[in-house]
């Protein structure tokens, strides 16, 4: 039974220092502390050690969950559709900080999220990593320009149409097929590479594409089906072979990665997996096998799970590791897939992703073993501030 | 040359055939030796116990039970035995959930159940062994339901009890407003009353119109049906009804009459809090409140007080956690509905939100997570729905005399890591996960034999590495040689 | 009851030019709303050649002159509508092109349009004619009087659209990001209307609807030091602090009787934070009467009546950039005076006479016109 007893110390709503104890503290560093305690001071973790008591108690503590594909900004006004390749556009400029989805994610235990441009664009622009709660947009931004984001599949070509008769809008353009999408990708990178020598070939977005080619900016490509994952990996390998650049590739929504895991292994590509589906059938005609996480983890692929901002409580990120475990993934790997792995993929692991002294105080308090269907998230801290109070959870 | 069948029905039939290991054991004896037995909510756990099932019923259960020499034994030292889950109301598994007619109590879901549909094999897969199939919610008065066990290739094999009750909806069907729906409900019973009164009047006049129509309908007018009986309605009666032979009542009216006479249960759907009041009024006015169970959507939790006051049970048809948006402030709120029902004192059963990942086990688990004692959460998916369906003496727990319907799980049944490994329904060993090809497909993405998965690679084994573009040419040559060697070997074996 | 004692001038319909000297008279009113919370009982306003030369109590008035109008109700400065589409005849909308920054409402507005006569009958004497919100840069507003002849300021504000209505899915720009980039690129231009905006010589109207759009508009204004006001911006009250810091005003409304409580509370919050609030219209698409109704709805929701009155007059005039000339009864201001049957803040009060530049204009829709009692 969840224990949420309190030793009140007259805290206010802005309290950022706490002592929280639990039967089990899962640090995501490989260490699990039984009867452990986490002390938080001014929004940072001060210590993680054995001990009890404190302001809050619960069954288990994990680091705050990190969702790299949370899909909060889904409005069409957030992407510039007049061109298919817009690497310079920042999704951060189009965020709606008032969306209820932030609070929804925060109270489900998700503390850091990556917002990506919509997959309608071949290259949508620059993603941003933000905290789901906090005082201001600046304070909540964990990493600006965290990745260059785009898509391969049927989504980028769906709103375009061939020009029958007189075109009256700019959707009469390439790409209208997967071939066209791939062509746009290769052309964009090729032109950016050529622009290194000939400055006249540079245009808006060239800088970002060049950074991706240099490996300074991670490239995140959404690719559900195996043929699209293949295309993404071949793109990376082709550019490397031609000496144009070495991409740091991450595949988002890699539902069919179970079919050809070797592709991800040999190209050192990380994978973000979409939410598990009840029937296995998922978007873009893909089939998402339940053991995908296990298969990829066994082969050493860095995996992260994602929740896609589900509104229904049972489909959120906190339940995804449970599905992965049903598919055979070990608990430790499942924990890593929602904490330290996404932190490393997004390059924010110095600040978040595990319970270590000095890191941000993003914690999730559980009423039972984490990720179990019989457990609930009863407490959440973001930067040391209590976003969900275990003492007010009705029993 | 393999034949690739693309019909899923064919696959499902083939699959169902695999699932039934020994259907003949129904009349024989079956013994289950399980590592742990959880007989029921609040009952003490048994370690290393045996359950003996004879003629479909539990003959003995305990640690030191002797296994009869002629019993088929399922030896499961690593598995946990639990009573099968009971789905108190489901509109799945049918050809279509509703008929177009507003008032059609003469229909029966028996005529639309599809035994080989995926729904029933999914139910077995996730431990649901008794299902009350009712029509969907898009109706005024819908047809009669059937309680089934999810095994068998024909509906008759599946039936546990028929009819199980009449389905009604207080929630407006498509195109109706709340007022129209309430009016349609009242009219349905008003029409019944008028028809019955007309029958009596005709009898008094000496008219035999009803008899002629019954003959035309091909009804049986002999024996019991030739006799008339006074009406037994609790709320209203038609005087002189004993003049009318029961066989002469229009078969379209018979189920409604049975409802009003308190002979048939009613399952009344309420989508919104206001619908609860409509449903309770209609049930009270027509004398079947005592046999009514409300099927409520999560939004109707706000009427929990009215439900409790009327002392009717409720089936929560939907997710346990209801997400509400405040219309004034736009803020989102999450409500744990079973908690609210419990607080108001409502007796409730849970229903699956989907047949697989959010089946009854998950609903019970969610309740535990939100603070409900485990015994109560498990009761809401076993004993309470069994009682609601009038099968409290046969189902819901593992006790001597009850149905030998046992589910064996690989671990804690409410855990995400546990699988249902074996299922025994009334002494028949009907499910073995090690032989369940489709669950292998779900887990590993592998297509079952003789089927083609949508989107599967046509180049052969989907797990094979694609080694064409971009690979090192030496590696490529090596792979090619290996493939050729394998193929040659295979062909050599075929020739033998 | 109304009673006119006219020495020389007969009640003539509007548009007929008045006789020489008709814009010189003295008005004695039972109650006089001067500005802000200043109300004078038994007040006097002296008008000479269309300008106010005295406004105050009877004691300090001195010589009253030959032409005296006595009004037994209230008199106040004419109302100022900080936004309207009156007089455009349905034009001012160019949704296919996102940028029409050089388009001028002044080129389109018909001063003699019936819309202005209707506005007059509601006591409105000055209006800012704005443009459609369906463009990223709609054009330049104009400030006119409702007398059918006067333009107070040919160029009022550059109107920018930062709401989702300014974006389209079938023409550039489709995103907030591109819209703002476009505006910033234009702001960097050395000449034209943008140069005037940059130098603070031309203020801006920033149209925004949702809270994140308001946030972006305020950030844009702060970063480029733009002056002016937000348009519409329901729920701006939740960002009142940021708006105050950016030094922007907000043109709210029009509000009808069914307005959301949250929106009205937002106006109250703006008032509390001392963000200048002015009321605007969307006439002729909605009635001009909504100007006072908006103020009444806000007062009922808690807005300080003084701020409500200022929103109808002085603040609106300041937002329009003509605060020195209209909006209050003070020495040197234009003699735009409205005679009411009661306190103009009360919705039960009716317009009984309208003077613009000291000349009386027809104000049909008011109570008594024609005939002395």
């Amino acid at each position: 039974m969840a224990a949420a007893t309190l030793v009140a110390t007259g805290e206010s709503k802005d309290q950022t220092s706490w002592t929280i104890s639990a039967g089990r503290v899962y640090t995501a560093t490989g260490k699990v502390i039984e009867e452990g305690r986490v002390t938080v001071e001014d929004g940072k973790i001060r210590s993680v050690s054995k001990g009890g008591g404190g302001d809050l108690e619960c069954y288990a503590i994990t680091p705050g969950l990190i969702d790299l594909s949370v899909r909060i900004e889904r409005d069409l006004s957030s992407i510039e559709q007049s061109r298919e390749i817009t690497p310079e556009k920042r999704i951060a400029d189009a965020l709606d900080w008032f969306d209820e989805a932030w609070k929804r994610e925060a109270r489900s235990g998700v503390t850091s999220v990556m917002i990506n441009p919509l997959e309608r664009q071949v290259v949508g622009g620059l993603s941003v990593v933000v905290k789901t709660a906090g005082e201001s947009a600046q304070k909540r931004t964990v990493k600006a320009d965290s990745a260059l984001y785009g898509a391969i599949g049927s989504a980028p070509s769906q709103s375009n149409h061939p020009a029958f008769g007189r075109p009256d809008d700019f959707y009469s353009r390439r790409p209208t097929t997967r071939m066209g999408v791939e062509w746009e990708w290769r052309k964009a990178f090729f032109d950016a590479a050529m622009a290194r020598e000939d400055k006249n070939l540079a245009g808006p977005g060239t800088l970002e594409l060049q950074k991706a080619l240099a490996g300074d900016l991670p490239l995140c490509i959404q690719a559900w089906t195996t043929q699209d994952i293949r295309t993404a990996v071949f793109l990376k390998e082709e550019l490397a072979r031609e000496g144009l650049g070495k991409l740091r590739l991450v595949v988002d929504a890699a539902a069919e990665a179970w079919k050809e895991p070797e592709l991800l292994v040999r190209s050192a590509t990380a994978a973000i997996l979409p939410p598990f589906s009840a029937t296995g059938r998922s978007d873009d005609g893909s089939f998402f096998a339940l053991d995908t996480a296990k298969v990829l983890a066994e082969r050493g692929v860095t995996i992260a799970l994602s929740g896609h901002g589900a509104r229904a409580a049972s489909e959120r990120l906190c339940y995804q590791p449970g599905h992965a475990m049903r598919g055979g993934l070990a608990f430790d790997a499942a924990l890593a897939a929602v904490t330290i792995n996404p932190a490393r993929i997004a390059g924010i692991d110095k600040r978040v992703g595990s319970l270590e002294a000095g890191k941000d105080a993003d914690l999730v308090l559980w009423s039972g073993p984490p990720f179990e269907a019989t457990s609930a998230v009863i407490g959440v801290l973001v930067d040391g501030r209590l976003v969900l109070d275990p003492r007010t959870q009705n029993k | 040359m393999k034949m690739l069948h693309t019909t899923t029905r064919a696959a499902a039939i083939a699959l169902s055939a695999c699932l039934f290991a020994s259907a003949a054991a129904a009349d024989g004896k079956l013994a289950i030796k399980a590592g742990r037995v959880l007989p029921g909510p609040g009952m003490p756990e048994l370690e290393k116990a045996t359950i003996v099932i004879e003629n479909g019923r539990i003959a003995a259960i305990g640690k030191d039970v002797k296994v009869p020499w002629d019993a088929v034994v399922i030896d499961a030292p690593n598995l946990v035995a639990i009573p099968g889950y009971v789905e108190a109301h489901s509109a799945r598994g049918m050809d279509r959930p509703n008929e177009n007619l507003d008032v059609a109590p003469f229909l029966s879901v028996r005529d639309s159940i599809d035994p080989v549909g995926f729904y029933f094999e999914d139910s077995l897969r996730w431990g649901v062994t008794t299902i009350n199939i009712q029509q969907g919610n898009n109706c005024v008065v819908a047809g009669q339901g059937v309680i089934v066990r999810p095994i068998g290739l024909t509906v008759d094999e599946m039936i546990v009890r028929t009819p199980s009750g009449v389905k009604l909806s207080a929630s407006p069907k498509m195109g109706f407003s709340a007022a129209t729906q309430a009016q349609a409900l009242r009219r349905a019973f008003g029409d019944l009353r008028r028809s019955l009164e007309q029958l009596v009047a005709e009898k008094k006049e000496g008219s035999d119109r009803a008899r002629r129509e019954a003959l035309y309908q091909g009804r049986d007018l002999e024996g019991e049906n030739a006799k008339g009986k006074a009406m037994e309605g609790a709320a209203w009666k038609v005087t002189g009804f004993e003049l009318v032979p029961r066989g002469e009542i229009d078969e379209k009216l018979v189920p409604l009459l049975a409802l009003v006479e308190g002979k048939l249960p009613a399952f009344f759907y309420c989508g919104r809090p206001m619908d609860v009041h409509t449903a309770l009024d209609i049930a009270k006015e027509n004398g079947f409140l005592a046999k009514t169970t409300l099927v409520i959507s999560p939004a109707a939790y706000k009427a929990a007080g009215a439900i409790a006051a009327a002392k009717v049970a409720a089936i929560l048809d939907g997710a346990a956690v209801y997400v509400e948006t405040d219309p004034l402030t736009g803020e989102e709120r999450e409500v744990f509905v079973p908690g609210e029902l419990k607080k108001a004192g409502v007796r409730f059963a849970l229903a699956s939100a989907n047949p697989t990942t959010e089946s009854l086990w998950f609903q019970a688990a969610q309740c535990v997570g939100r603070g409900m004692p485990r015994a109560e959460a498990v009761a809401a998916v076993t004993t309470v729905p069994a009682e609601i369906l009038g099968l409290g003496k046969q189902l819901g727990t593992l006790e001597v005399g009850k149905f030998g319907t046992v589910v064996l799980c690989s671990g804690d049944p409410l855990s995400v890591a546990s699988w249902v490994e074996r299922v025994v329904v009334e002494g028949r060993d009907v499910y073995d996960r090690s032989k369940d090809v489709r669950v292998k497909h779900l887990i590993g993405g592998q297509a079952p034999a003789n089927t083609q998965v949508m989107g599967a690679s046509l180049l052969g084994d989907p797990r094979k590495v694609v080694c064409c573009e971009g690979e090192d040419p030496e590696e490529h040559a090596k792979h090619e040689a290996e493939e050729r060697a394998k193929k040659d070997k295979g062909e050599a074996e075929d020739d033998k | 009851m109304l009673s006119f004692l006219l020495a020389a001038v007969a009640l003539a319909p509007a548009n007929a030019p008045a006789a020489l000297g008709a814009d010189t008279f003295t008005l004695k009113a039972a109650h006089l709303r001067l500005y802000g919370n200043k109300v004078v009982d038994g007040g006097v306003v002296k008008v000479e050649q269309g300008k106010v030369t005295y406004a105050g109590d009877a004691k300090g008035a001195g010589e009253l002159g030959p032409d005296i109008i006595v009004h037994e109700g209230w008199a106040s400065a004419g109302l100022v509508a900080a936004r309207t589409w009156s007089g455009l005849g349905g034009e001012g909308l160019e949704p296919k092109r996102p940028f029409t920054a050089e388009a001028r409402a002044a080129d389109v507005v018909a001063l003699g349009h019936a819309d202005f006569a209707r506005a007059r009958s509601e006591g409105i004497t000055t209006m800012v004619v704005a443009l459609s919100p369906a463009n990223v840069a709609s054009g330049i507003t104009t400030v006119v009087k409702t007398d059918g002849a006067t333009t107070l300021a040919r160029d009022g504000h550059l109107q920018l659209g930062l709401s989702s209505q300014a974006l389209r899915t079938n023409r550039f720009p489709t995103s907030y990001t591109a819209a703002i980039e476009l505006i910033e690129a234009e702001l960097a231009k050395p000449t034209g209307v943008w140069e005037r905006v940059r130098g603070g010589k031309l203020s801006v109207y920033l149209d925004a609807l949702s809270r994140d759009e308001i946030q972006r508009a305020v950030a844009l204004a702060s970063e480029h030091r733009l002056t002016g006001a937000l348009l519409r911006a329901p729920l701006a009250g939740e960002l009142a602090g940021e708006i105050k810091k950016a030094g922007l005003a907000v043109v709210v409304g029009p509000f009808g009787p069914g307005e959301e409580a949250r929106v009205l509370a937002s106006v109250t919050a703006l008032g509390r934070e001392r963000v200048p609030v002015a009321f605007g219209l969307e006439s002729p698409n909605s009635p001009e009467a909504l100007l006072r109704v908006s103020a009444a709805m806000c007062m009922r929701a808690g807005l300080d009546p003084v701020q409500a009155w200022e929103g109808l007059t002085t603040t609106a005039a300041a937002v329009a950039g003509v605060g020195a000339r209209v909006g209050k009864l003070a020495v040197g201001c234009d003699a735009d005076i409205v005679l009411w049957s009661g306190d103009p803040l009360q919705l039960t009060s009716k317009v009984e006479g309208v003077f613009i530049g000291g000349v009386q204009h027809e104000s049909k829709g008011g109570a008594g016109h024609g005939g002395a009692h």
Side-chain angles (χ1 to χ4, degrees), chain A residues 13-34:
Chain A
K13 219 168 79 145
D14 293 315
Q15 179 174 345
T16 53
S17 300
W18 301 86
T19 305
I20 310 169
S21 62
R24 264 152 229 79
V25 177
Y26 297 94
T27 60
T29 58
K31 217 166 52 148
V32 177
I33 303 175
E34 309 262 327

Coordinates of all heavy atoms in Angstrom, one line a residue, chain A residues 13-34:
Chain A
K13 N 4.6 26.8 -1.8 CA 4.4 26.2 -3.1 C 5.7 26.2 -3.9 O 5.9 25.4 -4.8 CB 3.3 27.0 -3.9 CG 2.4 26.1 -4.7 CD 1.2 27.0 -5.2 CE 1.6 27.8 -6.4 NZ 0.5 28.0 -7.4
D14 N 6.6 27.1 -3.5 CA 7.9 27.2 -4.3 C 9.0 26.5 -3.6 O 10.2 26.8 -3.9 CB 8.2 28.7 -4.4 CG 7.2 29.4 -5.4 OD1 6.9 28.8 -6.4 OD2 6.7 30.5 -5.0
Q15 N 8.7 25.6 -2.7 CA 9.8 24.9 -2.0 C 10.6 24.1 -3.0 O 10.1 23.3 -3.8 CB 9.2 24.0 -1.0 CG 10.2 23.2 -0.2 CD 9.6 22.4 0.9 OE1 8.5 22.6 1.3 NE2 10.3 21.4 1.4
T16 N 11.9 24.2 -2.9 CA 12.8 23.5 -3.8 C 13.8 22.6 -3.1 O 14.8 22.2 -3.7 CB 13.6 24.4 -4.8 OG1 14.2 25.4 -4.0 CG2 12.6 25.1 -5.8
S17 N 13.6 22.5 -1.8 CA 14.5 21.6 -1.0 C 13.6 20.6 -0.3 O 12.7 20.9 0.4 CB 15.3 22.4 0.0 OG 16.1 23.4 -0.7
W18 N 14.0 19.3 -0.4 CA 13.2 18.2 0.1 C 14.1 17.1 0.6 O 15.2 16.9 0.1 CB 12.3 17.6 -0.9 CG 11.3 18.6 -1.5 CD1 11.5 19.4 -2.6 CD2 10.0 18.8 -1.1 NE1 10.4 20.1 -2.8 CE2 9.5 19.8 -1.9 CE3 9.2 18.3 -0.1 CZ2 8.2 20.3 -1.8 CZ3 7.9 18.8 0.1 CH2 7.4 19.8 -0.8
T19 N 13.6 16.3 1.4 CA 14.2 15.0 1.7 C 13.1 13.9 1.5 O 12.0 14.0 2.1 CB 14.7 14.9 3.2 OG1 15.5 16.0 3.5 CG2 15.4 13.6 3.5
I20 N 13.4 13.0 0.6 CA 12.4 12.0 0.2 C 13.0 10.6 0.4 O 14.1 10.4 -0.1 CB 12.0 12.2 -1.3 CG1 11.6 13.7 -1.5 CG2 10.8 11.3 -1.6 CD1 11.4 14.0 -3.0
S21 N 12.3 9.7 1.0 CA 12.8 8.4 1.2 C 11.8 7.4 0.6 O 10.6 7.7 0.4 CB 13.0 8.1 2.7 OG 11.7 8.2 3.4
A22 N 12.4 6.2 0.3 CA 11.6 5.2 -0.4 C 12.2 3.8 -0.1 O 13.4 3.7 0.2 CB 11.5 5.4 -1.9
G23 N 11.3 2.8 -0.2 CA 11.8 1.4 0.0 C 12.9 1.1 -1.0 O 13.8 0.3 -0.8
R24 N 12.7 1.6 -2.2 CA 13.7 1.4 -3.3 C 14.0 2.7 -4.0 O 13.0 3.3 -4.5 CB 13.1 0.4 -4.3 CG 13.5 -1.1 -4.0 CD 12.5 -2.0 -4.6 NE 12.1 -3.0 -3.6 CZ 11.3 -2.8 -2.6 NH1 10.7 -1.7 -2.4 NH2 11.0 -3.8 -1.8
V25 N 15.2 3.0 -4.2 CA 15.6 4.2 -5.0 C 16.3 3.7 -6.2 O 17.4 3.1 -6.1 CB 16.5 5.2 -4.2 CG1 16.9 6.3 -5.1 CG2 15.8 5.7 -3.0
Y26 N 15.7 3.8 -7.4 CA 16.3 3.4 -8.6 C 17.0 4.6 -9.2 O 16.4 5.5 -9.7 CB 15.2 2.9 -9.6 CG 14.5 1.7 -9.1 CD1 13.3 1.8 -8.4 CD2 15.0 0.4 -9.3 CE1 12.6 0.7 -7.9 CE2 14.3 -0.7 -8.8 CZ 13.1 -0.6 -8.1 OH 12.4 -1.7 -7.6
T27 N 18.3 4.5 -9.2 CA 19.1 5.7 -9.6 C 19.3 5.8 -11.1 O 19.7 6.8 -11.7 CB 20.5 5.7 -9.0 OG1 21.2 4.5 -9.4 CG2 20.3 5.7 -7.5
A28 N 19.1 4.7 -11.9 CA 19.3 4.5 -13.3 C 20.8 4.6 -13.6 O 21.2 4.9 -14.7 CB 18.6 5.6 -14.1
T29 N 21.7 4.5 -12.6 CA 23.1 4.4 -12.9 C 23.6 2.9 -12.8 O 24.7 2.6 -12.9 CB 23.9 5.1 -11.8 OG1 23.6 4.6 -10.5 CG2 23.6 6.6 -11.8
G30 N 22.6 2.0 -12.6 CA 22.9 0.6 -12.4 C 22.8 0.3 -10.9 O 22.7 -0.9 -10.5
K31 N 22.7 1.3 -10.1 CA 22.6 1.0 -8.6 C 21.2 1.2 -8.2 O 20.5 2.1 -8.6 CB 23.5 2.0 -7.9 CG 24.2 1.5 -6.7 CD 25.3 2.3 -6.1 CE 24.9 3.8 -5.9 NZ 25.7 4.4 -4.7
V32 N 20.7 0.3 -7.3 CA 19.4 0.4 -6.7 C 19.7 0.4 -5.2 O 20.4 -0.4 -4.6 CB 18.5 -0.8 -7.0 CG1 17.2 -0.7 -6.2 CG2 18.3 -0.9 -8.5
I33 N 19.1 1.4 -4.5 CA 19.4 1.5 -3.1 C 18.1 1.1 -2.3 O 17.0 1.7 -2.5 CB 19.7 3.0 -2.7 CG1 21.0 3.4 -3.5 CG2 20.0 3.1 -1.2 CD1 21.3 4.9 -3.3
E34 N 18.2 0.1 -1.5 CA 17.1 -0.3 -0.7 C 17.0 0.6 0.5 O 18.1 1.0 1.1 CB 17.3 -1.8 -0.2 CG 17.7 -2.7 -1.3 CD 16.4 -3.5 -1.8 OE1 15.6 -3.8 -0.9 OE2 16.4 -3.8 -3.0

